[in-house]
Amino acid sequence: MSTAVVIEAPGEHRLTGHTPREPEAGEALVRVHAVGICGSDREVYQGNRPEGYVRYPLTPGHEWSGTVAAVGAGVPDSLVGRKVVGEGFRNCQVCDRCHAGETTLCSAGYEETGFTQPGAMAATLTLPARLLHVLPDDCDLTAAALLEPAACIAAAAIKANALPGERVAVVGTGTLGMFAVQFLKAGSPAELLVVGTRGDREALSRQYGATDFRTKDQLLPDDFDVVIETAGSADAARTSAALLRRGGRLVLTGIPASGAHGLDPTDLVVRQLEVHTVFGAPPDAWAHTVRVFAAGLLDPLPLVTHELPLQEFPQAIELVGSGDPKVGKVLLRP
């Protein structure tokens, strides 16, 4: 019998038998190939997810890849057998924000796969077919399981609007940071600086296209055009702003702990900095990510350090929170 992970309540989980839910009209049934674990999954397990952004009991899993096994009425049969990834936000499609393409700002309320709706830590996932993005037939589905965090960074890259020849930087060297390096490199920058806390990430940063690497305790420049922050701390946000020239563009993607002291508004105004934020990925960012991945400009596989069976969910959660520098992206295989 196939299995699924169910988090009953914070700190409580079980493995249970899984029966695929047949797709209704407008839906697709996907056989899950791999599902990634990120810090937000750990928050769900520990009970640290903000109220309204999780609903127990829950099958988690919002980073995934798979193959369409069946479709419901109104969905083209040609989708069956195709490799896919899928958007997480279950937007309403009819509010003003959805009509503007800003689906992560849907005014009907927050609903997301793996947080308030059943996720992919199971043998199959049934979801609205409109959320699927079809991948090339010859793509690596293990690599594709990382396209959800990549799409979040694609949203940041789109907002940053870095032009060829500009000087760009990334603050943070985790999974999001390494995707930011790849997206910015694809735009032909004059310089691409990576700032992190661990010197052991320099080699991978340069492999992905960085022209310079520094730790945050080293002397840092203050004249870059664009900075994407991915580290998720107030300190990283301040470091990012300090890297910018007057009138530079900053995109924040990390979520610091509640109540953290953030950026200095006086500094933002006097230096006329342009500040954007990202929470999740709208459809245009997903489409951009799939195009870039299909073109061979994203290489997620070096970020994967562990692949475990679904039954080892507790060990996977521990790995993600271990702080071990040898732990990168952890995948579960149903």
Side-chain angles (χ1 to χ4, degrees):
M1 176 184 291
S2 60
T3 58
V5 173
V6 175
I7 299 176
E8 296 283 2
E12 301 177 18
H13 85 281
R14 60 185 172 90
L15 292 171
T16 184
H18 172 73
T19 300
R21 181 174 72 77
E22 290 302 313
E24 299 178 359
E27 293 185 324
L29 170 66
V30 176
R31 288 193 303 271
V32 178
H33 173 82
V35 55
I37 297 180
C38 82
S40 57
D41 295 305
R42 187 173 168 83
E43 289 177 354
V44 169
Y45 184 63
Q46 293 181 326
N48 299 327
R49 186 82 171 166
E51 186 178 356
Y53 290 87
V54 64
R55 189 178 303 135
Y56 302 101
L58 173 72
T59 293
H62 61 287
E63 304 177 3
W64 57 270
S65 64
T67 304
V68 177
V71 295
V75 180
D77 290 335
S78 59
L79 200 58
V80 176
R82 298 303 303 272
K83 295 177 178 179
V84 294
V85 289
E87 298 176 32
F89 282 78
R90 306 288 187 93
N91 57 298
C92 74
Q93 296 187 285
V94 297
C95 71
D96 288 345
R97 293 302 92 214
C98 286
H99 278 243
E102 298 174 336
T103 55
T104 60
L105 297 174
C106 176
S107 60
Y110 170 81
E111 295 286 347
E112 187 175 3
T113 299
F115 295 106
T116 63
Q117 297 290 333
M121 290 189 192
T124 68
L125 173 65
T126 302
L127 74 168
R130 62 182 171 81
L131 299 177
L132 297 180
H133 290 262
V134 177
L135 302 170
D137 291 335
D138 61 352
C139 82
D140 186 324
L141 275 177
T142 300
L146 277 70
L147 292 188
E148 191 278 340
C152 295
I153 292 301
I158 290 170
K159 287 190 174 184
N161 191 29
L163 302 176
E166 287 194 308
R167 303 175 70 227
V168 302
V170 174
V171 175
T173 58
T175 298
L176 297 181
M178 294 301 96
F179 277 129
V181 173
Q182 294 178 73
F183 275 109
L184 290 174
K185 175 62 178 177
S188 301
E191 296 179 49
L192 205 176
L193 168 67
V194 175
V195 179
T197 59
R198 292 168 40 193
D200 63 339
R201 298 295 274 184
E202 179 173 1
L204 186 58
S205 298
R206 291 187 181 275
Q207 176 183 325
Y208 281 141
T211 59
D212 192 8
F213 181 94
R214 305 188 195 185
T215 54
K216 64 177 185 178
D217 56 346
Q218 292 179 294
L219 181 64
L220 298 176
D222 61 359
D223 55 356
F224 273 63
D225 299 295
V226 170
V227 178
I228 295 179
E229 176 276 327
T230 68
S233 70
D235 183 58
R238 290 189 290 270
T239 297
S240 299
L243 288 168
L244 287 165
R245 63 166 172 81
R246 287 172 56 87
R249 307 188 296 283
L250 171 62
V251 185
L252 303 174
T253 71
I255 304 177
S258 180
H261 294 289
L263 301 174
D264 179 356
T266 300
D267 179 62
L268 299 181
V269 172
V270 170
R271 295 173 59 213
Q272 301 182 61
L273 299 184
E274 185 178 321
V275 182
H276 298 273
T277 61
V278 167
F279 178 65
D284 63 338
W286 273 96
H288 182 52
T289 300
V290 170
R291 283 194 302 268
V292 173
F293 178 64
L297 298 175
L298 283 183
D299 184 14
L301 279 180
L303 302 173
V304 179
T305 59
H306 294 76
E307 295 183 58
L308 303 173
L310 197 63
Q311 291 79 0
E312 294 187 23
F313 169 76
Q315 295 91 321
I317 286 290
E318 287 302 314
L319 281 170
V320 170
S322 68
D324 185 340
K326 295 181 180 179
V327 177
K329 197 65 186 178
V330 178
L331 300 182
L332 292 174
R333 299 290 294 271

